[in-house]
């Protein structure tokens, strides 16, 4: 039986977080995490190329079996939403190019899976990531969000079992029957 290795991605044009975990039965083990940063003085095509290359390097280095990406939320600023969508597209393209199946999760789904409710603060998510992976300290915020996305996938994401959300609705940030 192979041990699933999951790459979580928190896409951003300026900073894209990544986190790699393994699932050993019910136990999650930390493998790696970090951030891929683009140069905001470069044009959009160069920044997207940086993200694509960075994620491709993470795939080559850590050899994940599957990937989980956070879905874009609609921002107050339409321009920011478009740029985030382009960064997310670059991330998904790199994952698919690397031969990985890609699952997508909303921030609410990630928070629900990691903290237990969908309206958790960023600090609560970071704290639970540290606890669930037995880390000696808190990773950078973007890396913690990426690890949280990988944890959400491991806890019940498409194909892995445990947190079946089909047939449930969301009320007040919680899954209900």
């Amino acid at each position: 039986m192979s041990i699933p290795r999951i790459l979580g991605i928190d896409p951003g044009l300026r900073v894209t977080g990544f986190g790699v975990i393994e699932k050993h039965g019910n136990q999650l083990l930390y493998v790696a995490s970090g951030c891929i940063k683009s140069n905001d003085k470069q044009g959009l095509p160069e920044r997207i190329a940086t993200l694509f290359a960075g994620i491709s390097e993470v795939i080559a280095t850590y050899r994940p079996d599957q990937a989980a990406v956070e879905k874009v939320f609609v921002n107050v600023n339409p321009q920011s939403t478009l740029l985030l969508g382009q960064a997310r597209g670059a991330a998904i393209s790199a994952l698919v190019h690397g031969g990985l199946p890609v699952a997508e999760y909303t921030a609410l789904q990630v928070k629900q899976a990691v903290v237990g409710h969908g309206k958790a603060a960023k600090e609560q998510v970071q704290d639970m990531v540290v606890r669930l992976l037995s880390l000696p300290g808190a990773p950078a915020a973007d890396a913690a969000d990426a690890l949280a996305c990988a944890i959400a996938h491991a806890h019940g994401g498409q194909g892995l079992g445990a947190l079946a959300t089909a047939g449930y609705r969301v009320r007040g940030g919680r899954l209900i029957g």
Side-chain angles (χ1 to χ4, degrees):
M1 184 172 117
S2 72
I3 296 167
R5 184 171 275 199
I6 304 163
L7 169 58
I9 298 288
D10 177 40
L13 187 57
R14 193 173 55 78
V15 179
T16 289
F18 72 88
V20 183
I21 63 171
E22 287 182 349
K23 183 172 181 170
H24 296 255
N26 289 330
Q27 187 178 9
L28 301 177
L29 297 177
Y30 173 85
V31 175
S33 64
C35 295
I36 301 162
K37 297 178 181 176
S38 71
N39 183 345
D40 58 1
K41 293 182 182 7
Q42 291 183 315
L44 181 62
E46 292 82 9
R47 295 175 78 184
I48 286 175
T50 298
L51 296 178
F52 186 95
I55 291 170
S56 296
E57 184 178 327
V58 168
I59 292 167
T61 302
Y62 299 105
R63 302 274 182 221
D65 306 305
Q66 32 196 297
V69 179
E70 191 168 312
K71 284 185 181 177
V72 175
F73 62 92
V74 177
N75 201 322
V76 175
N77 180 341
Q79 182 63 27
S80 295
T81 303
L82 286 171
L83 290 173
L84 179 57
Q86 290 174 319
R88 192 169 169 279
I92 291 171
S93 295
L95 296 169
V96 171
H97 185 261
L100 298 175
V102 179
E104 301 175 78
Y105 299 96
T106 64
L108 184 132
Q109 288 172 312
V110 171
K111 290 176 181 181
Q112 175 70 37
V114 174
V115 180
H117 61 91
K119 293 186 178 180
K122 257 192 176 315
E123 297 77 25
Q124 288 176 294
V125 173
Q126 220 171 0
D127 184 55
M128 284 304 295
V129 165
V130 169
R131 290 171 187 246
L132 290 168
L133 297 175
S134 302
L135 300 177
D142 295 295
D145 287 348
L147 287 165
C149 198
I151 291 167
H153 186 67
H155 279 173
Q158 308 159 356
L160 288 178
L163 177 68
T165 57
Y168 287 85
R169 292 173 291 140
V170 177
R171 184 183 305 144
R174 295 187 180 270
L175 290 174
I176 57 174

